[in-house]
């Protein structure tokens, strides 16, 4: 039986290394114990989640429907159409399009998987879908990588926060970028230590990101932030796989994220009382969306 008690990424990585199993096996064993469900049932549920994620991507990159507020809709289609012409390259731009697309589907009340939250729903699936398209990874392997992503998210939730109202957007898009980066490294055959470095690299570069939604809606700047954070996840995974290490260990990065989240003023934690939410244009939008 696999030992599965972990509270930090370091402990999760150590359990995987000592037992000579991939990180997802430790997470799966913990979920089996916690939920008292069979392995096959958990994998089937995650497969269903992955199917929903893929469907939301395919809908998103074709979507032209505007949200009720009129702030979002149709940008994913534009990015996807431009993917072969951009500086980033086709794969990275496609990944950004996938992430924006999922977020736009969320904005029009379509079906998505909140992974880890609705505000950051595009990042993990977009990164993994891009990896599938680029390298031909099997869905079975992606489902296992999603378990690793889930384990990373669990640790962040326990030791910091995954809620914008608690820790700013770093808690949502930052956590999702870390989850995606770790999952990508596992897919590529990276070690648990490299997974930890990828998570750290991704989160470090989104530390301090505020949550300042215009008109209180998960649309501006949230939708496009999903695209940017997905590219951050891809970059972090590649850096780690190339042998780049995070000078600050991943669990210390998560602690720092928690401290920064507490230090952020309430006005920058999803209250729409500061930041982009109080710009002149944002105030006009708010009046239009919520007329007196």
């Amino acid at each position: 039986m696999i030992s599965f008690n972990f509270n930090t990424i370091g402990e999760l990585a150590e359990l995987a290394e000592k037992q000579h199993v991939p990180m997802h096996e430790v997470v799966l064993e913990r979920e089996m114990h916690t939920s008292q469900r069979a392995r096959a049932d958990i994998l089937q549920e995650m497969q269903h989640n992955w199917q929903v994620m893929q469907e939301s991507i395919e809908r998103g990159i074709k979507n032209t429907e505007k949200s009720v507020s009129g702030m979002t809709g149709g940008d994913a289609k534009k990015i996807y159409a431009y993917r072969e012409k951009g500086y980033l390259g086709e794969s990275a731009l496609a990944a950004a399009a996938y992430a924006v697309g999922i977020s736009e589907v969320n904005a029009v009340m379509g079906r998505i998987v909140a992974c880890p939250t609705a505000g950051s729903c595009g990042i993990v699936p977009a990164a993994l879908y891009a990896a599938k398209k680029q390298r031909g990874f099997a869905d079975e392997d992606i489902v296992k990588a999603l378990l690793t992503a889930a384990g990373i998210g669990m640790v962040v939730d326990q030791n910091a926060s995954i809620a914008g109202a608690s820790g700013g957007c770093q808690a949502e898009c930052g956590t999702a970028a870390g989850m995606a980066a770790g999952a990508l490294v596992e897919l590529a055959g990276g070690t648990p230590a490299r997974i930890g470095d990828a998570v750290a690299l991704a989160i470090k570069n989104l530390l301090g990101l505020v949550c300042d939604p215009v008109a209180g809606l998960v649309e501006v700047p949230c939708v496009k932030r999903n695209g940017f954070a997905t590219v951050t996840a891809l970059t972090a995974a590649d850096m780690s796989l190339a042998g780049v290490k995070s000078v600050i260990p991943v669990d210390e990065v998560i602690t720092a994220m928690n401290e920064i989240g507490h230090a952020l003023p309430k006005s920058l934690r999803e209250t729409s009382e500061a930041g982009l939410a109080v710009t002149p244009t944002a105030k006009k939008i708010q009046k239009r969306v919520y007329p007196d």
Side-chain angles (χ1 to χ4, degrees), residues 58 95 124 131 146 218 227:
E58 293 298 333
V124 173
L146 280 168
V218 187

Side-chain angles (χ1 to χ4, degrees), residues 7 17 22 31 42 68 99-100 109 117-118 131 156 167 177 183 189 208 227-229 253 267 275 284:
N7 294 301
E17 287 171 346
E31 180 62 20
I42 295 168
V68 173
V100 171
M109 304 302 169
T117 64
V156 176
F228 285 110
V253 171
S267 61
K284 290 177 183 177

Side-chain angles (χ1 to χ4, degrees), residues 71 164-165 210-222 265-279 282-283 286 290:
M71 287 191 288
V210 301
C211 185
D212 51 353
V214 172
L217 300 171
V218 187
E219 297 183 27
V220 175
C222 322
K266 178 175 69 70
S267 61
L268 293 172
R269 286 186 277 124
E270 210 171 350
T271 58
S272 299
E273 295 174 352
L276 295 175
V278 295
T279 59
K283 289 179 179 179
Q286 183 163 351
Y290 304 113

Side-chain angles (χ1 to χ4, degrees), residues 26-266:
V26 179
V27 178
L28 180 57
E29 194 71 32
R30 175 167 170 163
E31 180 62 20
M32 288 166 59
H33 175 80
T34 302
S35 66
Q36 291 297 296
R37 290 187 296 164
R39 175 190 181 95
D41 292 340
I42 295 168
L43 290 173
Q44 184 177 15
E45 181 179 0
M46 192 63 85
Q47 174 62 47
H48 174 68
N49 289 339
W50 175 232
Q51 185 60 40
V52 172
M53 290 174 175
Q54 293 181 93
E55 289 170 359
S56 61
I57 288 172
E58 293 298 333
R59 175 179 172 180
I61 57 175
K62 299 173 185 174
N63 175 64
T64 57
E65 181 183 358
K66 289 285 187 180
S67 63
V68 173
S69 73
M71 287 191 288
T72 62
D75 285 333
K77 184 176 181 179
K78 295 174 185 176
I79 300 166
Y80 191 70
Y82 183 75
R83 68 191 183 282
E84 296 178 357
K85 303 174 186 176
Y87 289 112
L88 279 175
E90 183 176 355
S91 182
L93 268 179
Y98 300 151
V100 171
I102 295 171
S103 297
E104 289 183 335
V105 168
N106 179 52
V108 296
M109 304 302 169
R111 188 167 69 155
I112 55 96
V113 177
C115 179
T117 64
S120 60
C121 63
I123 299 162
V124 173
L128 294 177
Y129 193 72
K132 175 182 175 178
K133 290 292 185 181
Q134 184 186 48
R135 300 195 184 185
F137 290 117
D139 286 336
E140 178 183 346
D141 293 327
I142 291 176
V143 165
K144 292 174 182 176
L146 280 168
L147 284 164
T148 294
I152 294 164
M154 287 164 57
V155 168
V156 176
D157 189 39
Q158 289 171 4
N159 297 293
S161 175
I162 62 170
S166 176
C169 195
Q170 60 165 9
E172 299 207 17
C173 285
T175 299
M179 292 166 65
L184 288 169
V185 171
E186 175 160 303
L187 267 179
T191 64
R194 285 193 173 179
I195 291 172
D197 281 318
V199 176
L201 291 166
I203 293 177
K204 278 197 303 185
N205 287 282
L206 291 167
L207 287 177
L209 186 59
V210 301
C211 185
D212 51 353
V214 172
L217 300 171
V218 187
E219 297 183 27
V220 175
C222 322
V223 168
K224 296 180 186 71
R225 277 183 181 166
N226 274 254
F228 285 110
T230 301
V231 176
T232 293
L234 293 166
T235 306
D238 277 339
M239 283 188 176
S240 179
L241 289 165
V244 175
K245 295 183 179 180
S246 174
V247 174
I248 307 301
V250 59
D251 292 303
E252 292 182 29
V253 171
I254 293 170
T255 297
M257 181 168 73
N258 186 45
E259 292 172 352
I260 291 167
H262 288 304
L264 285 174
K266 178 175 69 70

